[in-house]
Amino acid sequence: FKIMDDNGSKSLTYEEFKYGLGDMGIKDIPDKDFALLCKIFDKNNDGQIGFDEFLRACRGKLSNKRKQFIFYAFSLLDKDSSGILTVSDLQGRYDTSKHPDVLEGRMTEEEALAEFAEQWDDENAPDGKITPAEFLEYYKDVSASIDRDDYSE
C-alpha cells in the first residue's frame, strides 16, 4: 500500500492503484474490470482507497481457530448471556475513568464506554447492540494485520 501511495496521502487514487498494480505485474486490466476492482476496494465510494479499505479487500478468510477465539472473547463480555453486547455488559469490564474527555469533564464515563462500544457496532446501522457477527466483522479487520494464529491469542 505504502509503495503505491505516491503522493503520501495515506489513500490511493484510482490512478495510483492502477499504476501500483502494474508495478506488481498486474497490467493491461480492461477498463471495465478495473472499474469493478475499484468498486470492490473503494467501499465508501469516495474515489479513493483508504488503507483500511485496502486491507479489508485483501484480507483472507479467518481461520476457525481465530473465529473460536473471537467468539470466546464475545462470550466473556456478554455478562447476561443474551447473545448481544450492550454498554451494560461492558460496565465493570472496561475502566473509562482515565479517558481524557472524562478527566476533562467533557464526557461521562458512560458516554466514553458507549463511544468505545461503537467500534463494534455496524457502522451502516448502529443500534447500540453488538451481535456476534458485528464483533466478528470488527476483528476480521484486526486479524488481517496479524500474521500467525498463535499471535492473536
Side-chain angles (χ1 to χ4, degrees), residues 1 11-12 14 38-59 141:
F1 182 88
S11 64
L12 303 177
Y14 291 172
C38 288
K39 186 176 182 180
I40 291 168
F41 276 79
D42 184 12
K43 291 294 185 193
N44 66 2
N45 298 310
D46 68 352
Q48 307 252 338
I49 301 167
F51 179 72
D52 289 341
E53 290 174 313
F54 185 83
L55 199 57
R56 285 178 182 159
C58 289
R59 73 177 182 213
D141 293 340

Side-chain angles (χ1 to χ4, degrees), residues 83-122:
I84 301 290
L85 288 182
T86 62
V87 171
S88 64
D89 286 310
L90 301 176
Q91 287 173 330
R93 305 216 185 236
Y94 289 96
D95 179 11
T96 57
S97 66
K98 304 294 186 222
H99 187 288
D101 288 342
V102 171
L103 292 173
E104 294 290 324
R106 292 188 296 262
M107 186 183 280
T108 66
E109 288 185 42
E110 292 76 21
E111 290 169 333
L113 192 58
E115 183 181 84
F116 175 72
E118 285 175 8
Q119 69 184 328
W120 297 316
D121 207 354
D122 182 348

Side-chain angles (χ1 to χ4, degrees), residues 46-80:
D46 68 352
Q48 307 252 338
I49 301 167
F51 179 72
D52 289 341
E53 290 174 313
F54 185 83
L55 199 57
R56 285 178 182 159
C58 289
R59 73 177 182 213
K61 291 186 176 187
L62 279 178
S63 69
N64 284 333
K65 185 176 181 178
R66 287 191 195 196
K67 283 182 188 176
Q68 289 172 347
F69 189 74
I70 291 165
F71 288 134
Y72 176 67
F74 182 92
S75 70
L76 291 176
L77 293 173
D78 185 13
K79 277 196 248 183
D80 62 4

Side-chain angles (χ1 to χ4, degrees), residues 118-138:
E118 285 175 8
Q119 69 184 328
W120 297 316
D121 207 354
D122 182 348
E123 62 189 38
N124 297 316
D127 59 5
K129 298 175 184 173
I130 298 114
T131 65
E134 289 170 326
F135 197 74
L136 179 66
E137 190 61 32
Y138 172 83

